[in-house]
């Protein structure tokens, strides 16, 4: 009884997989997540760092950011360098959060300056601009 149900389920899965293989590429591409921010925008995952809250407990500094890279060749380089950029950004945010005084507000100017410095160093030249979104301490 169980074997029959599994066999029917497996046949349905195989039929569905074969139908998906027949779909044209534009239909499959339409299901990809749309990139926000326009064509020159390179998104980054949220950066997190541990800090101390005003109450004395542990908190989290969360920074949303991305890059605006109008030059297509540099944008390609930035997209390929995303893991290196993210690692450098994360290290910068973690170090900043660890040194943030208890209850102090984070400095968006300082964070932007440090992330921009990391960006220029990793990409090898200027042309990619760091854009900051929300900066939250929880």
């Amino acid at each position: 009884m169980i074997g029959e149900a599994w066999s029917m389920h497996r046949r349905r899965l195989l039929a569905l997989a074969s139908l998906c293989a027949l779909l044209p590429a534009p239909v499959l591409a339409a299901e990809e997540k749309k990139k926000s921010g326009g064509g020159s925008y390179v998104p980054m995952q949220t950066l997190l760092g541990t800090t101390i809250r005003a109450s004395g407990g542990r908190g989290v500094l969360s920074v949303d950011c991305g890059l605006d890279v109008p030059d297509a060749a540099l944008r390609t380089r930035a997209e390929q360098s995303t893991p290196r950029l993210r690692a450098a950004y994360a290290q910068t945010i973690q170090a900043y959060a660890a040194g943030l005084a208890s209850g102090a507000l984070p400095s968006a100017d300082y964070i932007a300056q440090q992330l921009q410095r990391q960006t220029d160093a990793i990409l090898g030249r200027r042309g990619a601009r760091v854009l900051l979104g929300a900066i939250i301490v929880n």
Side-chain angles (χ1 to χ4, degrees):
M1 182 99 159
I2 295 174
E4 292 175 24
W6 172 249
S7 178
M8 187 181 337
H9 182 66
R10 190 175 69 199
R11 281 191 295 248
R12 287 180 182 164
L13 286 175
L14 288 172
L16 182 61
S18 63
L19 286 175
C20 287
L22 297 175
L23 290 176
V27 172
L28 293 175
E31 293 182 15
E32 292 181 18
K33 185 176 178 182
K34 183 182 178 288
K35 197 164 71 165
S36 63
S40 66
Y41 183 72
V42 178
M44 292 286 164
Q45 292 178 349
T46 302
L47 306 167
L48 304 172
T50 304
T51 188
I52 303 296
R53 290 191 207 165
S55 64
R58 289 186 183 217
V60 176
L61 172 65
S62 172
V63 178
D64 289 330
C65 70
L67 297 175
D68 179 33
V69 193
D71 179 22
L74 188 59
R75 187 179 330 91
T76 300
R77 184 177 175 111
E79 289 170 348
Q80 292 170 346
S81 300
T82 298
R84 289 186 62 207
L85 288 166
R86 174 140 171 74
Y89 292 172
Q91 185 177 16
T92 299
I93 295 300
Q94 289 169 0
Y96 178 73
L100 195 60
S102 177
L105 295 175
S107 169
D109 291 333
Y110 180 80
I111 291 171
Q113 179 185 26
Q114 294 304 311
L115 296 182
Q116 187 66 56
R117 184 176 294 149
Q118 293 290 335
T119 302
D120 294 342
I122 290 170
L123 297 181
R125 67 180 174 107
R126 293 177 175 240
R129 203 169 104 205
V130 173
L131 303 176
L132 292 181
I135 300 175
I136 301 171
V137 178
N138 278 337

